[in-house]
Amino acid sequence: MDDRFNRIDWHKTFPVHALTWPFPNPFHIEVGIARTDLLDDRISGNKWYKLKYNLKAALEQNAKGVASFGGAFSNHLHALAAAGNRLALPTVGFIRGELVEPFNPTLTDCSTWGMQLHPLTRKAYRERHDSAFQDRLMASFPGFVLLPEGGSNQLAVAGIADMVGVIESCKAAFDYIVLPVGSGGTLAGILGYYLGREDAPIIIGVSALKGVAGVLEETVLRLVGTEENFIDDLSMDDLLPEWWIEHDFHCGGFAKVSSELQELKARFECQTCVPLDNVYNSKVILAVKHLLECGKIPDRARLLILHTGGLQGVRNWSRPLS
Ligand SMILES: Cc1ncc(COP(=O)(O)O)c(C=O)c1O
């Protein structure tokens, strides 16, 4: 094994703690939070676990580097660039749209950490899932491994299972886990971890995207549904814990921010001292606020919020929010 992998302390853990909920809580729900945002200031949150086995596999197969896709503010590319830099593994980022100079803080970091940035027109970017298109792109990067947008693949799902292992090792009791959903790998990893377990909590995803109801659930199931996950002739439905995705808290779409969200974020941060990003975790807090107030979570249940990081992205919001 290439010992570059161990240049990152992958065994690091993160705190799981109780949260004094700063909004109405008429049904006395106990709220806790798992702070994967505190793992690392560069390879933040769920990215730590989604990249872990992808980078291990790349090093094991002597890949020349790792390439992936993302927008100009991508947490995934930011974490990949940071990890590649620490592991001396070259990285390439295929960026949606033009590369506007001067670079924003995310792309400045990526470039400083040695990631080669290649803009793709929005039209070309739409082909990112097409294997012939990927082959054409990768012809310029022989020996590189290509990860999907958001890094969500089977190895990411396996890494996220390690994250749930850390949460379980904290012995915090919870009946629900709530987390943000983008490309679906994190939710799939959590569902995969609890597959077939009778003591599984109920898992609630909160979509950061608009207009993906049904499609996102299918994506998640596809990511969970590897053959080794099936036990005897039980179907996936028999094995999965109860789960669903909330689709009404995107505030107008991906990375859109409403004034309600801004106020909620400011109040939450001020009263809990837990920082939030605008794109994923603020929207989870908005969803949880609604769930607790409308009585969808039963009296005195214990609910754990998974903070997935993404705080690097906050620097990109110095412009007025619309
Ligand atoms: C901070 C943050 N939280 C949550 C997500 C969503 O995770 P996933 O893409 O695995 O659904 C992302 C995107 O990967 C993210 O950057």
Side-chain angles (χ1 to χ4, degrees), residues 46-47 50 75 150 152 180-186 277 280-281 308-310:
N46 59 345
K47 305 301 168 301
K50 289 173 81 175
N75 294 321
S152 286
V181 188
S183 57
T186 308
D277 72 310
Y280 294 99
N281 292 286
T308 52

Side-chain angles (χ1 to χ4, degrees), residues 63-314:
K64 294 246 178 316
V66 179
S68 194
F69 299 96
F73 307 110
S74 167
N75 294 321
H76 164 60
L77 290 184
H78 189 262
L80 176 61
N85 182 255
R86 285 193 204 161
L87 302 181
L89 186 64
T91 53
V92 169
F94 296 116
I95 311 292
R96 184 183 58 235
E98 271 173 60
L99 273 181
V100 180
E101 299 208 38
F103 287 166
N104 67 36
T106 303
L107 295 183
T108 301
D109 283 350
C110 290
S111 156
T112 305
W113 297 330
M115 177 175 264
Q116 290 184 55
L117 302 175
H118 289 269
L120 295 177
T121 63
R122 281 165 199 277
K123 184 161 173 271
Y125 196 86
R126 279 198 283 277
E127 290 187 67
R128 64 194 178 280
H129 304 298
D130 180 83
S131 59
F133 174 74
Q134 294 176 355
D135 290 346
R136 285 200 301 281
L137 269 186
M138 296 311 288
S140 309
F141 302 98
F144 273 62
V145 169
L146 181 64
L147 302 185
E149 185 181 51
S152 286
N153 59 12
Q154 294 304 330
L155 292 173
V157 167
I160 291 292
D162 289 358
M163 181 198 72
V164 188
V166 171
I167 294 175
E168 292 249 309
S169 71
C170 294
K171 304 268 179 254
F174 45 88
D175 311 299
Y176 291 81
I177 300 180
V178 191
L179 71 147
V181 188
S183 57
T186 308
L187 175 54
I190 296 176
L191 293 175
Y193 180 93
Y194 286 113
L195 217 54
R197 283 218 357 213
E198 282 182 6
D199 59 344
I202 295 171
I203 318 293
I204 308 175
V206 178
S207 176
L209 300 133
K210 181 180 170 183
V212 291
V215 182
L216 194 51
E217 283 80 353
E218 271 173 32
T219 305
V220 170
L221 287 176
R222 211 172 322 113
L223 283 163
V224 184
T226 57
E227 275 181 30
E228 67 265 26
N229 281 339
F230 291 94
I231 303 168
D232 301 327
D233 57 354
L234 289 174
S235 75
M236 188 134 83
D237 272 353
D238 295 323
L239 296 168
L240 279 170
E242 186 177 345
W243 70 289
W244 72 85
I245 299 179
E246 294 285 339
H247 285 281
D248 294 329
F249 299 97
H250 50 69
C251 301
F254 185 69
K256 296 271 195 263
V257 173
S258 62
S259 52
E260 181 193 12
L261 190 78
Q262 270 178 277
E263 276 162 34
L264 169 126
K265 175 178 183 294
R267 191 157 147 212
F268 181 88
E269 289 181 329
C270 171
Q271 296 199 16
T272 64
C273 296
V274 176
L276 299 172
D277 72 310
N278 292 299
V279 181
Y280 294 99
N281 292 286
S282 292
K283 293 178 182 180
V284 165
I285 299 303
L286 182 65
V288 170
K289 180 174 183 294
H290 173 81
L291 289 169
L292 297 200
E293 286 172 14
C294 76
K296 200 159 171 182
I297 308 291
D299 219 19
R300 295 184 196 279
R302 297 157 304 179
L303 179 146
L304 183 75
I305 296 168
L306 177 69
H307 193 318
T308 52
L311 297 171
Q312 70 82 24
V314 175

